Amino acid sequence: MTEQQLREQMVTLARSMFERGYATGGAGNLSLKLPNGHFLATPTGSSFGRLDAERLSVVDIDGNHISGDRPSKEVAFHLAIYRNNSECNAIVHLHSTYLTALSCLEGLDTDNAIKPFTPYFVMRIGKLPVIPYLRPGDPRIAEELAKRAADYRAFLLANHGPVVTGSDLIDAIDNAEELEETAKLALMLDGKSIRYLSDEEITDLQGRGK
Ligand SMILES: O=C(O)[C@@H](O)C(=O)COP(=O)(O)O
Ligand SMILES: [Zn+2]
């Protein structure tokens, strides 16, 4: 896809997420890798419902602002993931309701906040490590994500929300939506007797693709 097509895709997909309630107000941010090696990101303070293709931010791998409006304050953590995972070409950060609710719970397993009970979670996400709470925009979020970026496709920022990667923006958003629905189910099932997938069933799903 050309840069112009990728700009228009970001605007269209962001609006769709906004209209379906995955993003509200000015929360969340998106980025994707451009054909020239730069990165397209949502401007800081922008709403997913009202992005302008011509005003999207462009930054280089070192975070230098190349063009467009001022980039998201989280662009440093997006770049930390790209630097450490060559398979990642797009990133979605949301404050979606169920994942954010999950991120506020005490006693989460920090290696994997959602114990698998459906195949698609295993196939699309695998595991969901929890990043300790840091205020939005804190440069240490990038350090924490850099340490884990090579090994995971998604992360849960404690008391904040998810960060989800993909091979392109459609893939990253599909992963984010699947993860949000899985968190919704996990919270619906809280306190009920769940039949979790067995280790054997999880192993059988791993490496089969989506
Ligand atoms: O939670 C926050 O403040 C940020 O992580 C966020 O979601 C929106 O920040 P910008 O991308 O700078 O608008
Ligand atoms: Zn945020």
Side-chain angles (χ1 to χ4, degrees), residues 26-29 42-46 72-74 93 95 136 160:
N29 31 74
T42 47
T44 189
S46 58
S72 167
K73 64 174 164 294
E74 309 291 19
H93 164 56
H95 296 179
H160 185 167

Side-chain angles (χ1 to χ4, degrees), residues 39-61:
F39 298 86
L40 190 65
T42 47
T44 189
S46 58
S47 163
F48 278 27
R50 293 186 296 274
L51 293 176
D52 177 341
E54 308 314 318
R55 295 180 61 177
L56 294 174
S57 315
V58 175
V59 297
D60 68 16
I61 189 68

Side-chain angles (χ1 to χ4, degrees), residues 64-83:
N64 297 307
H65 184 193
I66 308 291
S67 64
D69 287 354
R70 192 153 65 89
S72 167
K73 64 174 164 294
E74 309 291 19
V75 81
F77 82 53
H78 288 240
L79 294 172
I81 296 173
Y82 291 118
R83 266 187 227 110

Side-chain angles (χ1 to χ4, degrees), residues 88-186:
C88 171
N89 293 312
I91 298 171
V92 180
H93 164 56
L94 299 173
H95 296 179
S96 49
T97 308
Y98 291 93
L99 282 162
T100 303
L102 184 70
S103 81
C104 299
L105 294 180
E106 291 274 18
L108 291 174
D109 175 355
T110 55
D111 290 330
N112 185 15
I114 301 180
K115 189 172 170 187
F117 52 84
T118 57
Y120 220 36
F121 169 71
V122 178
M123 292 156 77
R124 292 206 79 103
I125 305 295
K127 285 186 170 180
L128 182 65
V130 182
I131 307 298
Y133 175 75
L134 292 160
R135 68 161 172 74
D138 189 315
R140 290 173 293 177
I141 302 176
E143 292 168 23
E144 294 291 335
L145 289 170
K147 284 189 249 171
R148 298 167 178 85
D151 299 322
Y152 300 97
R153 293 184 202 148
F155 315 86
L156 192 61
L157 306 179
N159 304 84
H160 185 167
V163 178
V164 186
T165 69
S167 55
D168 59 25
L169 192 58
I170 290 177
D171 186 50
I173 290 175
D174 283 354
N175 286 342
E177 292 183 10
E178 178 62 27
L179 192 54
E180 174 68 3
E181 297 313 307
T182 307
K184 182 175 180 177
L185 291 172

